[in-house]
């Protein structure tokens, strides 16, 4: 039986509510005030729902704006609402959430008041759950955070209530006395009356003689102040007092008075409370049985509800944990993927840049070689071939020597001339901007008389995609092969097939000449081709047999 | 015969040799210069004086020396001369023997003759000048063949390759003709197909269609 707890609650929230309201009156707008009062004195459940919604939205907005303290105040309102609805565990969680938010908040009067209020609220929740020791612990911490008497009085009162619940009347007494002391200091007659009434009630439990005096004095003050709520409490206490004293008649009288006040208050919960008190006083055995039965049913129901709430709450917590773990896992997975992709990307970029650099270096090397070749060629061409030609002219026209000797000399000079010229031709720079035409001219250059030249379509290979230094290199390779055919093969057919296979290109060069024994012939020319192809990352392979012609494949 | 000839040649021995060859052709006025810049000056001056040169004989390569040059090669000189005096005849006398280059001298610069500097060609210079004087374009014998070669090169087209591929599938000539006709390919008559096949056989030196296919495969065409 926890009858006393009933009316203590009213003023607990009455006070806390005003406290909260005062603390945040600066952001008071109409809807805030409206919902604030709904939370503290809900008339219907739908009202409460809309109030919840209002504050929860507020919390989201305030948190995203970084307005933590406003969010905390709203969380307090929600926690109170949840308590009112009987969602004790949810209420606990909300309060804890608000406390956590406060941890990162700078300590000032507002945050301390909020902290104290929240701790006090937790105490209330635990008391309702009959976890008295836990409730006491929280009240005591709340007291430490309390800024002033306005904060501490309700908490001390709450502490005494718990002691009352635990039938530890001495401890309850010392706390109630402390409240009275503080109230007297405040010089607030309604508060003093409340404290006096409570004191008297506790004293009555201890069978102290001052009990009745104090309670009656409190009633007197309340009547003077037209404090109907207070008067109700007084009549209720007095009724209980008389019942304890064995004076059933007086007890019933006071219970009737309490009922009258409840009707004046026009409050269902007060009326219900008053009627319940009257029922307790009834001597009708059926009523007593009914009372016992409803009490045990309601306490069983409460126990059941608590258990269910606990389970439900635990399940929710578990689910949240699982969800959080899943989110974490998912996030880790994403991080892992991001990390791995970043790693792969970095590696690929690394490899690619090394490859690029390598290619660049190779290309530069080839280009340098090609330039050097062209330069030397020009020198040989401009100087040597021209000089020899000049000497030939001189010998022809100016030298007076026997004709036979002259002829021999001119023959040798011409040989030198031709060789010098050919060096320059082989090594000269090549304009490969129109590669098919360049190749056609190359073929014409080395086209031996009486030989057929057949090619597949030059455009089989997309020459735009082949870089210039590669084209020059291919040009020189084909030149080498053509020179070889012209000089040694006695071929009647030269064929060149251009093929594109995926990203690889190939040129198949063949003649139908006498061929050569690849083991016996010193193949300087073939070696040159191979070197040139390797330089551009390609390859060269060939086959030849005596009497079987020649076939070489340039892959690039 | 030409009355007034300019020789641009930086090589002393060659210049005098040329000069002597021209004298043999009884050309009265011959001037030898060693720089392209001097050559263009002389041509412009002669043009202004109303006694233009009839013929320019020029080398292609001129060695760089201490002098700064505006025109540094025969090609640049020819281009400039053609601009100043389009009617002048031009003979190129050079060690160059790359067909592509020489072909472009005729096609792009409009020269009238090219003579190589080897012994065989030197002796053709007189013949070349006579031909040019008569208004002809002169080509040395060796060049004639090489220039003709580009026309003698056979580049197989897609239809040739398709024909060869169809042969590998065992299609008869009639079936190939039908295949071509169904797709509206050109030269799709049996006769055209036969001609094409005959041409391919000749080129590859093949005696039968099977031999032809083997040759084409061996040489990387299919």
């Amino acid at each position: 039986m926890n009858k006393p707890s009933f009316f203590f609650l009213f003023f607990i929230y009455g006070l806390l509510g005003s406290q909260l309201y005062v603390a945040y009156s600066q952001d008071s707008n109409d809807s805030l005030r409206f919902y604030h009062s709904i939370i503290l004195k809900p008339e219907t459940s739908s009202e409460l729902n809309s109030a919840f919604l209002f504050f929860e939205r507020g919390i989201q907005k305030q948190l995203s704006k970084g307005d933590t303290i406003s969010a905390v105040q709203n969380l307090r309102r929600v926690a109170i609402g949840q308590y009112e609805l009987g969602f004790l565990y949810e209420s606990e969680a909300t309060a804890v959430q608000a406390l956590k938010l406060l941890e990162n908040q700078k300590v000032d009067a507002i945050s301390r008041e909020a902290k104290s209020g929240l701790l006090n609220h937790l105490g209330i929740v635990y008391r309702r759950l009959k976890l008295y020791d836990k409730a006491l612990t929280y009240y005591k911490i709340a007291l430490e955070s309390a800024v002033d008497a306005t904060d501490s009085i309700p908490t001390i009162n709450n502490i005494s209530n718990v002691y009352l619940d635990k039938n530890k009347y001495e401890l309850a007494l010392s706390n109630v006395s402390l409240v009275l002391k503080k109230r007297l200091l405040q010089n607030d007659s309604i508060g003093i009356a409340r404290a006096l009434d409570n004191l008297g009630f506790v004293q009555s439990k201890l069978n102290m003689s001052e009990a009745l005096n104090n309670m009656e004095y409190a009633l007197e003050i309340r009547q003077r102040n037209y404090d109907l709520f207070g008067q109700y409490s007084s009549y209720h206490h007095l009724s209980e007092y008389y019942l304890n004293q064995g004076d059933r008649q007086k007890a019933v009288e006071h219970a009737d008075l309490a009922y009258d006040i409840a009707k004046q208050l026009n409050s269902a919960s007060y009326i219900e409370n008053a009627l319940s008190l009257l029922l307790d006083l009834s001597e009708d055995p059926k009523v007593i049985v009914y009372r016992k039965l409803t009490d045990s049913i309601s306490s069983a129901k409460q126990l059941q509800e608590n258990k269910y709430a606990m389970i439900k709450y635990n399940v929710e917590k578990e689910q949240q944990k699982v969800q959080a773990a899943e989110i974490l896992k998912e996030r880790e997975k994403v991080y892992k993927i991001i990390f791995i992709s970043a790693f792969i990307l970095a590696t690929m970029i690394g490899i690619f840049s090394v490859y690029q650099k390598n290619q660049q270096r190779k290309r530069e090397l080839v280009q340098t070689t090609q330039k050097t070749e062209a330069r030397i060629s020009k020198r040989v061409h401009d100087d040597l071939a021209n000089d020899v030609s000049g000497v030939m002219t001189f010998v022809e026209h100016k030298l007076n020597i026997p004709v036979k000797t002259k002829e021999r000399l001119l023959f040798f000079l011409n040989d030198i001339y031709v060789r010098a010229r050919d060096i320059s031709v082989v090594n000269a720079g090549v304009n490969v901007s129109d590669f098919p035409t360049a190749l056609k001219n190359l073929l014409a250059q080395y086209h031996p008389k009486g030989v057929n030249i057949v090619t597949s379509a030059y455009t089989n290979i997309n020459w735009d995609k082949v870089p210039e230094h590669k084209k020059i290199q291919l040009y020189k390779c084909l030149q080498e092969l053509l020179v070889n055919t012209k000089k040694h093969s006695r071929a009647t057919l030269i064929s060149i097939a251009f093929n594109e296979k995926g990203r690889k290109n190939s040129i198949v060069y063949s003649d139908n000449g006498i061929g050569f024994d690849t083991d016996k012939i010193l193949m300087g020319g073939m070696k040159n081709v191979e070197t040139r192809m390797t330089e551009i990352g390609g390859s060269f392979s060939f086959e030849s047999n005596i009497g079987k012609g020649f076939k070489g494949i340039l892959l690039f | 015969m030409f009355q007034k000839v300019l020789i641009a040649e930086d090589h002393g021995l060659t210049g005098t040799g040329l000069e002597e060859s021209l004298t043999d052709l009884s050309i009265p006025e011959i001037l030898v210069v060693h720089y392209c810049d001097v050559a263009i000056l002389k041509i412009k001056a002669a043009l202004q004086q109303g006694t233009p040169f009839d013929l320019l004989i020029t080398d292609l390569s001129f060695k760089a020396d201490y002098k700064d040059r505006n025109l540094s090669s025969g090609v640049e000189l020819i281009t400039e001369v053609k601009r100043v005096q389009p009617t002048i005849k031009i003979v190129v006398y050079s060690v160059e023997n790359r067909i592509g280059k020489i072909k472009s001298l005729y096609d792009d610069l409009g020269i009238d003759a090219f003579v190589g500097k080897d012994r065989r060609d030197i002796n053709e210079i007189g013949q070349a000048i006579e031909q040019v004087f008569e208004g002809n374009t002169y080509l040395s014998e060796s060049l004639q063949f090489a220039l003709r070669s580009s026309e003698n090169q056979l580049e197989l087209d897609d239809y040739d390759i398709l024909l060869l591929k169809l042969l590998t599938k065992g299609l008869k000539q009639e079936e190939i003709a039908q295949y071509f006709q169904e797709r509206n390919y050109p030269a799709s008559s049996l006769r055209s197909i036969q001609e094409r096949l005959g041409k391919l056989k000749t080129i590859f030196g093949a005696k039968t269609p099977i031999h032809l296919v083997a040759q084409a495969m061996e040489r990387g065409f299919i």
Side-chain angles (χ1 to χ4, degrees), chain A residues 386-387 398 407 445 447, chain B residues 11 20 97 99 117 119 149:
Chain A
N386 260 322
D387 284 356
K398 295 279 162 105
E407 276 302 308
Q445 183 88 43
H447 194 166
Chain B
H11 207 277
E20 272 170 40
N97 83 329
I99 299 301
K117 279 188 178 179
R119 202 179 159 216
S149 156

Side-chain angles (χ1 to χ4, degrees), chain A residues 198-439:
Chain A
N198 285 337
L199 176 67
F201 183 70
V202 174
Q203 284 169 335
S204 78
K205 291 285 181 189
L206 288 164
N207 288 319
M208 288 167 73
S209 51
E210 309 96 298
L212 188 59
N213 263 345
N214 281 333
M215 283 194 278
E216 284 184 332
Y217 183 38
L219 179 60
E220 210 182 301
I221 298 169
R222 281 167 163 170
Q223 281 167 339
R224 240 188 290 147
N225 285 291
Y226 306 104
D227 176 8
L228 285 180
F229 291 104
Q231 287 174 45
Y232 179 83
S233 288
S234 284
Y235 289 130
H236 197 291
H237 276 162
L238 284 167
S239 167
E240 276 194 67
Y241 168 78
Y242 286 120
L243 188 64
N244 274 349
Q245 298 292 317
D247 190 343
R248 182 170 297 272
Q249 200 198 332
K250 278 214 156 175
V252 173
E253 266 172 35
H254 283 93
D256 279 333
L257 284 167
Y259 180 60
D260 284 345
I261 299 285
K263 280 195 287 189
Q264 279 185 56
L265 281 169
N266 194 23
S267 158
S269 51
Y270 276 81
I271 292 167
E272 192 261 350
N273 189 265
L275 287 170
S276 164
L277 181 63
L278 279 168
L279 277 179
D280 283 344
L281 296 171
S282 167
E283 280 169 310
D284 186 337
K286 280 177 189 162
V287 172
I288 292 168
V289 173
Y290 167 77
R291 212 42 209 160
K292 261 191 187 153
L293 211 58
T294 49
D295 274 354
S296 71
I297 285 171
S298 91
S299 69
K301 206 172 145 196
Q302 181 66 39
L303 205 67
Q304 203 62 33
E305 272 175 4
N306 284 359
K307 264 189 191 161
Y308 172 72
M310 179 116 80
I311 290 162
K312 183 180 153 223
Y313 186 63
N314 281 344
V315 166
E316 264 174 20
K317 252 192 175 164
E318 259 338 282
Q319 276 176 344
Q320 278 171 1
K321 259 195 214 159
V322 168
Q323 271 177 0
E326 263 174 18
I327 288 167
L328 204 69
K329 230 162 106 189
E330 201 60 34
R331 202 178 291 164
E332 269 171 11
K333 219 162 128 190
V334 170
Y335 284 156
K336 220 167 163 183
I337 289 168
I338 290 171
F339 177 76
I340 289 172
S341 342
F343 178 75
I344 290 171
L345 198 69
T347 314
M348 270 164 56
I349 290 171
I351 290 170
F352 183 69
S353 65
V354 168
Y355 172 79
Q356 278 285 81
K357 247 189 183 161
N358 224 349
Q359 288 297 103
Q360 171 79 9
R361 207 169 43 80
K362 269 191 190 164
R363 189 164 58 236
E364 279 168 7
L365 204 71
V366 172
Q367 281 167 344
T368 312
T369 313
Q370 286 169 352
K371 271 185 206 152
T372 312
E373 279 176 2
R375 193 165 43 80
I376 292 171
S377 137
K378 185 141 172 55
R379 284 291 295 278
V380 173
H381 174 270
D382 287 4
D383 297 2
L384 205 57
N386 260 322
D387 284 356
V388 176
S389 168
V391 172
M392 275 200 290
T393 326
F394 176 78
V395 170
E396 188 103 49
H397 296 286
K398 295 279 162 105
L399 208 60
N400 279 322
I401 50 169
V403 175
K404 223 177 166 184
T405 321
K406 195 185 236 184
E407 276 302 308
R408 267 183 75 95
L409 183 58
L410 281 171
F411 175 79
F412 283 122
L413 283 172
N414 197 55
D415 187 47
I416 295 170
Y417 168 82
V418 168
R419 279 192 290 164
R421 187 194 64 189
D422 285 353
I423 290 171
S424 78
V425 167
V426 167
N427 294 304
V430 188
N431 179 6
V432 290
S433 53
D434 178 1
F435 200 52
T437 303
L439 288 182

Side-chain angles (χ1 to χ4, degrees), chain B residues 17-58:
Chain B
L18 267 178
E19 201 176 348
E20 272 170 40
S21 303
L22 295 197
T23 317
D24 292 348
L25 292 169
S26 56
I27 292 171
E29 204 177 329
I30 302 161
L31 181 64
V32 181
V33 297
H34 300 298
Y35 298 97
C36 295
D37 289 333
V38 178
I40 191 71
L41 273 179
K42 294 287 179 195
I43 284 171
K44 282 180 182 167
L47 205 59
Q48 273 191 349
Q49 286 157 15
T51 53
F53 286 98
D54 306 319
L55 175 69
L56 167 69
I57 301 174
T58 180

Side-chain angles (χ1 to χ4, degrees), chain A residues 424-532:
Chain A
S424 78
V425 167
V426 167
N427 294 304
V430 188
N431 179 6
V432 290
S433 53
D434 178 1
F435 200 52
T437 303
L439 288 182
K440 280 175 194 166
N441 286 332
L442 178 70
L443 289 178
Q445 183 88 43
Y446 293 96
H447 194 166
K449 272 182 186 154
V451 174
N452 284 325
I453 295 182
V454 62
T455 67
S456 66
Y458 288 88
T459 48
N460 278 357
I461 291 173
N462 183 358
W463 296 109
D464 292 341
K465 277 195 202 158
V466 183
E468 184 180 320
H469 74 285
K470 287 195 182 181
K471 285 190 217 165
I472 293 174
Q473 215 71 337
L474 290 166
Y475 180 96
K476 305 228 152 161
C477 289
L478 285 172
Q479 190 170 35
E480 195 84 54
L481 296 174
L482 283 162
V483 167
N484 201 55
T485 297
K486 190 171 185 176
K487 274 189 184 163
H488 311 296
S489 76
R490 283 186 258 157
T492 58
L493 171 66
I494 296 170
S495 74
I496 304 175
F498 304 97
N499 292 307
E500 198 173 50
K501 267 184 208 143
R503 293 183 56 214
K504 276 277 173 195
N505 297 312
S506 74
I507 300 178
V508 182
Y509 176 97
S510 51
D511 69 40
N512 65 349
I514 54 170
F516 52 86
D517 188 335
T518 48
D519 292 333
K520 286 182 184 154
I521 303 288
L522 200 65
M523 293 165 295
M526 296 302 113
K527 197 81 209 157
N528 283 345
V529 175
E530 198 182 325
T531 310
R532 284 187 189 278

Side-chain angles (χ1 to χ4, degrees), chain A residues 18-146:
Chain A
S18 67
Q19 192 72 0
L20 196 53
Y21 183 72
V22 169
Y24 264 73
S25 55
Q26 61 249 50
D27 77 55
S28 69
N29 55 47
D30 290 344
S31 54
L32 178 70
R33 208 174 299 170
F34 173 68
Y35 287 117
H36 177 84
S37 60
I38 285 176
I39 283 285
L40 296 170
K41 285 190 182 131
E43 299 283 325
T44 69
S45 61
S46 73
E47 256 183 12
L48 206 53
N49 279 341
S50 54
F52 269 131
L53 218 61
F54 174 79
F55 289 121
E56 264 167 14
R57 271 202 212 115
I59 291 162
Q60 294 300 334
K61 257 196 236 158
Q62 285 147 357
L63 282 180
S64 64
K65 275 196 298 187
D67 185 2
T68 312
I69 200 78
S70 300
V72 167
Q73 301 296 13
N74 278 344
L75 281 168
R76 284 174 78 183
R77 292 172 179 124
V78 170
I80 293 167
Q82 284 166 330
Y83 177 89
E84 298 284 357
L85 288 173
F87 296 123
L88 300 181
Y89 293 96
E90 283 85 346
S91 179
E92 177 197 13
T94 308
V96 169
Q97 190 195 344
L99 276 173
K100 275 190 183 151
L101 286 174
L102 275 178
E103 277 172 16
N104 302 321
Q105 213 56 26
K106 70 174 195 304
V107 178
D108 57 17
I110 293 167
S111 72
R112 277 187 66 182
E113 188 279 324
K115 190 179 173 192
S116 172
L118 282 162
L119 289 166
N120 186 53
H121 176 77
L122 280 173
I124 294 165
V125 170
Y126 294 133
R127 179 175 173 229
R128 175 90 164 263
L129 289 167
K130 295 194 164 73
L131 301 166
Y132 296 124
D133 293 332
K134 211 171 177 183
L136 279 173
T137 316
Y138 276 89
Y139 285 140
K140 280 171 187 166
I141 318 172
L143 218 47
E144 284 166 23
S145 305

